[in-house]
Amino acid sequence: MTISKIAVAMFSVADQDAAVAFYTGTLGWEVRLDVSFGEGADAGRWVEVGPAGSDARLALNPPMNGEPGGGAIGVETPDVDATLEALRAAGAQVGEPMGGEGPVPKMFSVTDPDGNWIWVVQAS
C-alpha cells in the first residue's frame, strides 16, 4: 500500500456543535464540510474544520468507543510567539512554549474542550 498524504485527521468530541464553536470561534479555523449521512436513527454527521489558508482538515466525530478526547495533531505557523499570544487573548488553554534549540522547532500545545491536543510548531 502506498500512502501519499494524510487525508484527514480525526478527533473524537462530546458535542460536534460545541467543538465547531471552539475551532471556529477560539482558534479562528473555518468549517470545510458539514454534512449528514445515513438515514433514520443511524444517521450521522461528518464535520471538518481547518486553519484558514491551509489544506489541512480535521474531522470532529462523536466517540466511537468510550470517552472523547486523547487525540493529537501538529500544525505549523510562521510565527509561534504571535500565534501563542493571539490564542491566549482568545481564551484558549495553551501550554508553555518549548523547543527552539538545535534541530527541535519552537512549539506549544493548545487543548480543546474534549482533551485533544493541537501542537503549534514553528515552520522551518
Side-chain angles (χ1 to χ4, degrees), residues 80-81 84 95-109 119-123:
V80 164
D81 295 323
L84 174 64
E96 291 301 316
M98 59 194 296
E101 302 88 27
V104 178
K106 190 171 188 180
M107 67 185 86
F108 69 91
S109 64
W119 285 93
V120 181
V121 180
Q122 180 72 43

Side-chain angles (χ1 to χ4, degrees), residues 22 26 86-93:
F22 172 79
T26 303
L87 291 175
R88 278 186 176 149
Q93 183 180 341

Side-chain angles (χ1 to χ4, degrees), residues 41-104:
D42 292 329
R45 179 180 177 201
W46 186 262
V47 180
E48 293 180 6
V49 296
S54 160
D55 63 355
R57 298 177 306 167
L58 174 62
L60 305 172
N61 302 315
M64 292 183 206
N65 297 313
E67 298 295 317
I73 61 168
V75 296
E76 289 185 332
T77 183
D79 189 340
V80 164
D81 295 323
T83 303
L84 174 64
E85 291 310 314
L87 291 175
R88 278 186 176 149
Q93 183 180 341
V94 297
E96 291 301 316
M98 59 194 296
E101 302 88 27
V104 178

